[in-house]
Amino acid sequence: DFYDYLTMAIVQEALNNQKVAVHYYTRCLKKNTTHLLSAMRLVFLSISLNDTSVSLPLISRLYRDHRENPDAIYLMALLKEKCGKTKEAETLLSFAIEKRPTNHLYYYQRGNLYLKEKNFEKAKEDYKACLTFNIKFSPCFFSLSRLYGLRNRFETGLKMINLAIKYDNRAEHYVQ
């Protein structure tokens, strides 16, 4: 039953049994191909395990069946990035932004792609858009600190780190 698989996946993930959780999320998606929570968790676990072999076909099918759903587009973009297809990931994220222009995660992720390519101005624009929709999103401040560090603007980078810590005191352990 779908909910049994979902429960097992969540429990296994909580127990830090990521590979077993992937198995159960996969079973969930085979029972209900449109369950975005399962799809999202499957993608994030696959990326952290550095193995997209299971998630790629399932997310490809989800994306094929729900091309207009910005969350499905976002998940496909994450997998494309993980597979080294940066330009395709950028295109997908741009499409997701068109569909849902107020989702801060889409801008954040595309900003990270731009930063990887050293396209600092576009990265900065996307990070600022991200913060427009979620001013307390501390990972974005960390990315901005990296951007400023790469541009030798260390004082501004330090301000970004302090803002990240201000909005999420758990972030403090990243800078120690």
Side-chain angles (χ1 to χ4, degrees):
D1 181 51
F2 171 79
Y3 289 104
D4 292 336
Y5 291 136
L6 182 59
T7 301
M8 288 303 296
I10 292 168
V11 167
Q12 292 302 317
E13 191 173 354
L15 293 172
N16 208 24
N17 295 330
Q18 293 180 327
K19 287 185 180 185
V20 178
V22 165
H23 167 76
Y24 283 113
Y25 283 125
T26 301
R27 300 291 297 259
C28 285
L29 284 172
K30 287 182 178 175
K31 291 273 185 192
N32 179 350
T33 59
T34 63
H35 193 256
L36 281 172
L37 170 66
S38 298
M40 214 170 271
R41 293 309 312 148
L42 179 63
V43 168
F44 293 136
L45 287 171
S46 296
I47 289 172
S48 73
L49 291 169
N50 209 20
D51 180 8
T52 58
S53 62
V54 173
S55 59
L56 189 56
L58 292 168
I59 302 307
S60 295
R61 186 175 65 218
L62 175 76
Y63 173 68
R64 184 186 65 235
D65 295 344
H66 304 281
R67 285 185 187 270
E68 298 301 311
N69 183 316
D71 293 325
I73 297 165
Y74 172 70
L75 292 175
M76 193 63 185
L78 292 178
L79 286 173
K80 290 288 186 182
E81 177 189 1
K82 185 64 180 171
C83 294
K85 298 180 179 182
T86 306
K87 288 294 181 195
E88 288 180 46
E90 281 176 21
T91 301
L92 287 167
L93 287 166
S94 296
F95 188 50
I97 289 168
E98 283 177 31
K99 296 283 180 192
R100 191 176 295 149
T102 59
N103 189 311
H104 68 285
L105 292 175
Y106 303 164
Y107 292 100
Y108 171 70
Q109 203 64 42
R110 191 174 68 178
N112 286 342
L113 292 176
Y114 289 142
L115 185 59
K116 234 185 240 184
E117 296 174 341
K118 299 197 181 334
N119 189 336
F120 299 124
E121 288 308 311
K122 282 188 172 183
K124 185 177 172 184
E125 284 175 30
D126 273 358
Y127 292 144
K128 288 189 175 214
C130 171
L131 292 172
T132 299
F133 298 111
N134 185 350
I135 189 64
K136 296 182 179 184
F137 189 60
S138 65
C140 190
F141 288 110
F142 277 117
S143 291
L144 275 167
S145 74
R146 276 197 332 261
L147 181 146
Y148 288 122
L150 289 168
R151 299 187 82 188
N152 295 321
R153 294 183 54 202
F154 302 111
E155 191 173 313
T156 306
L158 186 58
K159 287 179 185 175
M160 295 300 111
I161 289 173
N162 287 328
L163 284 169
I165 293 168
K166 174 184 173 183
Y167 292 121
D168 183 359
N169 61 5
R170 296 171 299 168
E172 214 170 305
H173 76 276
Y174 290 115
V175 292
Q176 292 179 349

